[in-house]
Amino acid sequence: MLPSIDLTDPGVLADPFAAHGRARELSPVVTLDAPGMPPMWTVTRHAEGRAALADARLEMRPASFAMRPDVPEHCRPYMRSMQEVEGEEHARLRRAVAPAFTRGAAEDFRERAARLAGELLDGLSGETDLLAAFARPLPSDVIAELVGVPATDRPQWREWGAAVSIGHGPAFAAAIPGIVDAARRAVHHEGVLTALAHSGLDGTELAALVWQLLLGGQTPTNLIANAVRVLLTTPGAWETLRDDESLLPGAVEELTRWCGPQLMTFPRFAREDVEVGGVTIPAGSMVTVSIAAANRDPRVFAEPERLDLRRESCPHLGYAHGPHFCLGAPLARVQTEEALRALLRRFPKTRAADTPAHWLPDPGTLRLAALPVVLG
């Protein structure tokens, strides 16, 4: 019988890295248990996880992204992203949008990301919730800038981004029709969708891309907040980056490995019996990869339980791997670097507030309820 991880266990919620790490050392494949869900097969080790994410027999389906019952029916077609499809349809969508999300395109956007970060820091001082004032609005501003949303509409995009980052409740449900409508209009703005208008994608597919960008754009929210918390609570870490900004690109990779927000990948479905690490996963089973376990696998990372801002090689799975590797990874990296750079330069003596930040009890995402700091 395989080991299992109980996602309702308070110990798992309090320290998912330790719980997933213990499971990893017991078996390359374990099961996840949660109320109301069938057991999910979970790959815990880096090599096996990386291979699984590139295995065509483990496929994405619409069921990988359970549609909430409060999503209006007319909005559903616009919320079906390329993540939900496989094969030639996925390849067609990916080919069409990939040129707009290359590393070079992200580098071209760096100056604008730095400007947006700086604008958010203007006027901040003293004790501040940096999650609400900075980490949460920045990705929404970045996506709005990328899409070409007029400045007058950006406060609304911040509200939508905040609702999407929470992922439930009346605000989330109320935001969906507005996001979908704005996405349809955004095709006519001067932004990335205008450039993609002749890519062969239809209006529904372009609007779905905006939804995917706004949804995926919340990853930097939690990555930036998590990174700041870790830097401020790890002795010497903040000062290390403050004194040597050349470490930032590698440090962002290490911070993504160490405290990246995604604890598990979206589930795939086994099209047939699949053997992973000597374990046969039956056809039809839901399969995920534990990013929390794989990113601290001692078979790949030296001293994996140590934050090393000078780590030379960091092949983490924070953005997954294979055909569904995160399209926005280059942009997420750039804006996380620029967010940290702006903070380190503007407020070099920042410290954690006396009120400690704490992780929310979320089995799938490492995220904070708030990030109280004293800017200085």
Side-chain angles (χ1 to χ4, degrees):
M1 185 175 178
L2 292 176
S4 66
I5 300 173
D6 179 358
L7 294 181
T8 64
D9 185 329
V12 174
L13 293 172
D15 192 349
F17 295 99
H20 286 242
R22 287 192 295 270
R24 178 193 62 234
E25 297 311 306
L26 292 173
S27 174
V29 179
V30 303
T31 59
L32 290 181
D33 297 311
M37 290 179 57
M40 188 183 304
W41 300 71
T42 303
V43 185
T44 60
R45 296 179 185 169
H46 189 282
E48 289 84 350
R50 194 171 187 273
L53 293 172
D55 193 328
R57 297 173 299 173
L58 300 175
E59 61 184 13
M60 291 284 203
R61 298 177 184 173
S64 299
F65 308 87
M67 187 69 74
R68 292 172 50 85
D70 52 6
V71 174
E73 190 65 35
H74 74 278
C75 294
R76 293 174 183 245
Y78 300 98
M79 299 172 69
R80 183 173 181 264
S81 74
M82 72 178 72
Q83 288 280 63
E84 300 180 29
V85 296
E86 292 284 4
E88 180 50 37
E89 184 179 5
H90 176 264
R92 176 183 65 83
L93 293 171
R94 189 91 181 194
R95 282 195 302 269
V97 302
F101 296 95
T102 62
R103 184 179 300 178
E107 285 298 328
D108 290 342
F109 196 83
R110 184 181 291 275
E111 185 176 340
R112 284 188 282 172
R115 172 178 55 79
L116 292 170
E119 289 173 355
L120 283 170
L121 294 179
D122 289 342
L124 297 185
S125 62
E127 185 161 343
T128 303
D129 176 3
L130 213 56
L131 175 61
F134 183 66
R136 184 171 288 148
L138 178 59
S140 295
D141 286 1
V142 165
I143 297 305
E145 179 92 2
L146 184 71
V147 170
V149 174
T152 53
D153 293 345
R154 294 190 185 184
Q156 179 65 75
W157 279 69
R158 289 184 186 179
E159 291 183 20
W160 288 335
V164 168
S165 71
I166 295 170
H168 60 82
F172 177 84
I176 292 170
I179 295 169
V180 169
D181 185 53
R184 294 168 66 185
R185 296 196 310 271
V187 176
H188 306 292
H189 297 160
E190 290 299 322
V192 68
L193 295 195
T194 305
L196 291 173
H198 304 292
S199 64
L201 301 185
D202 62 31
T204 299
E205 290 168 336
L206 287 170
L209 176 61
V210 175
W211 168 257
Q212 185 174 349
L213 287 171
L214 191 59
L215 186 65
Q218 302 316 305
T219 295
T221 288
N222 294 315
L223 177 56
I224 292 165
N226 295 356
V228 171
R229 179 193 186 269
V230 166
L231 290 171
L232 293 178
T233 56
T234 302
W238 182 266
E239 293 77 12
T240 295
L241 289 187
R242 181 194 65 195
D243 296 342
D244 188 355
E245 286 187 6
S246 71
L247 296 174
L248 266 172
V252 167
E253 298 306 302
E254 173 70 348
L255 288 160
T256 304
R257 179 191 77 85
W258 180 259
C259 59
Q262 292 304 118
L263 299 174
M264 295 174 286
T265 63
F266 291 114
R268 274 80 169 156
F269 288 80
R271 201 167 58 208
E272 59 189 70
D273 288 357
V274 177
E275 184 176 314
V276 178
V279 176
T280 299
I281 299 175
S285 299
M286 293 179 69
V287 184
T288 187
V289 174
S290 171
I291 297 174
N295 278 355
R296 298 196 184 187
D297 189 342
R299 297 158 188 81
V300 175
F301 302 100
E303 298 184 85
E305 298 301 327
R306 181 171 72 90
L307 178 71
D308 182 0
L309 299 177
R310 291 184 170 85
R311 190 179 295 275
E312 293 185 0
S313 176
C314 192
H316 62 78
L317 298 180
Y319 297 109
H321 178 68
H324 290 279
F325 179 80
C326 177
L327 184 70
L331 185 61
R333 286 171 162 132
V334 163
Q335 67 176 299
T336 302
E337 283 180 36
E338 293 309 316
L340 294 178
R341 192 190 315 277
L343 279 166
L344 290 160
R345 287 181 177 179
R346 186 81 63 92
F347 301 110
K349 296 182 180 179
T350 295
R351 61 178 175 82
D354 292 336
T355 303
H358 65 275
W359 305 114
L360 288 168
D362 184 338
T365 308
L366 186 72
R367 58 194 180 104
L368 294 163
L371 179 57
V373 304
V374 179
L375 298 170

